[in-house]
Amino acid sequence: MAQTNRITGDTVFVDRLIPQGGIDLPANAVGDDEFKIADPLSAEKQQHQHEKTYAQASAATAAAESRVVHVVHGATGELIAFVAGLVGPCVGDSTVSVNLKKNGTTVLSSVVTLDSGDAARATVAGTLSTTALVAGDVLEVTVTVSAGTGTLGTGVFAHVTLHEDSEA
């Protein structure tokens, strides 16, 4: 059976401490202060949060289109959130639908539908049905419009939040 030794009080090591088998640190023992600008933590050891925004011109009438917003470079990743909105709302029975796709397939339980009930610049959250990402995945925002007998809104925008681990 291994013997446990305990050192209490402040201890100063003049040279290096070389543990065999690792060190268990208490929760919150390492924070921002422990990472120095002159000796930063390398990108390969970090998880990255990406905030990607898709937007049509603010004054432009909503138009159907698809646009790539991100290509995953990390070994793995996770979709965190997706929201969409209009700068100027629809009038009458017009609707604008916004979808988030991964490699051409939706990742939402249903598209985000924006209509006359949504306020200007308000965001409507999409429900993610798939969140897993891997290197090479392509994220795309697709907008479809239905003018009906009303007026389409203006300035379609969408925002996706995702995390990526270090590169493969």
Side-chain angles (χ1 to χ4, degrees), residues 19-118:
Q20 298 292 316
I23 297 176
D24 291 327
L25 298 173
N28 301 316
V30 179
D32 287 340
D33 292 341
E34 284 70 38
F35 295 96
K36 307 298 181 203
I37 292 173
D39 187 21
L41 187 63
S42 66
E44 294 81 26
K45 296 178 182 171
Q46 299 178 46
Q47 185 178 72
H48 304 276
Q49 178 164 310
H50 297 279
E51 304 281 343
K52 299 294 183 167
T53 300
Y54 159 90
Q56 294 183 2
S58 293
T61 299
E65 74 168 340
S66 293
R67 192 178 304 167
V68 171
V69 293
H70 188 74
V71 177
V72 176
H73 292 286
T76 60
E78 179 183 16
L79 288 168
I80 304 301
F82 180 74
V83 297
L86 293 164
V87 172
C90 292
V91 176
D93 65 350
S94 294
T95 60
V96 176
S97 297
V98 186
N99 197 354
L100 178 63
K101 295 180 177 181
K102 176 179 83 170
N103 303 325
T105 302
T106 187
V107 295
L108 301 176
S109 296
S110 61
V111 299
V112 175
T113 300
L114 307 168
D115 57 29
S116 61
D118 298 307

Side-chain angles (χ1 to χ4, degrees), residues 6-15 17:
R6 175 175 280 202
I7 301 171
T8 58
D10 293 339
T11 305
V12 176
F13 294 91
V14 176
D15 289 318
L17 171 65

Side-chain angles (χ1 to χ4, degrees), residues 129-149:
S129 59
T130 301
T131 60
L133 300 170
V134 296
D137 281 346
V138 176
L139 300 177
E140 180 179 24
V141 171
T142 300
V143 177
T144 56
V145 298
S146 174
T149 58

Side-chain angles (χ1 to χ4, degrees), residues 140-164:
E140 180 179 24
V141 171
T142 300
V143 177
T144 56
V145 298
S146 174
T149 58
T151 305
L152 288 168
T154 59
V156 181
F157 64 90
H159 187 85
V160 62
T161 303
L162 62 120
H163 292 168
E164 279 188 29

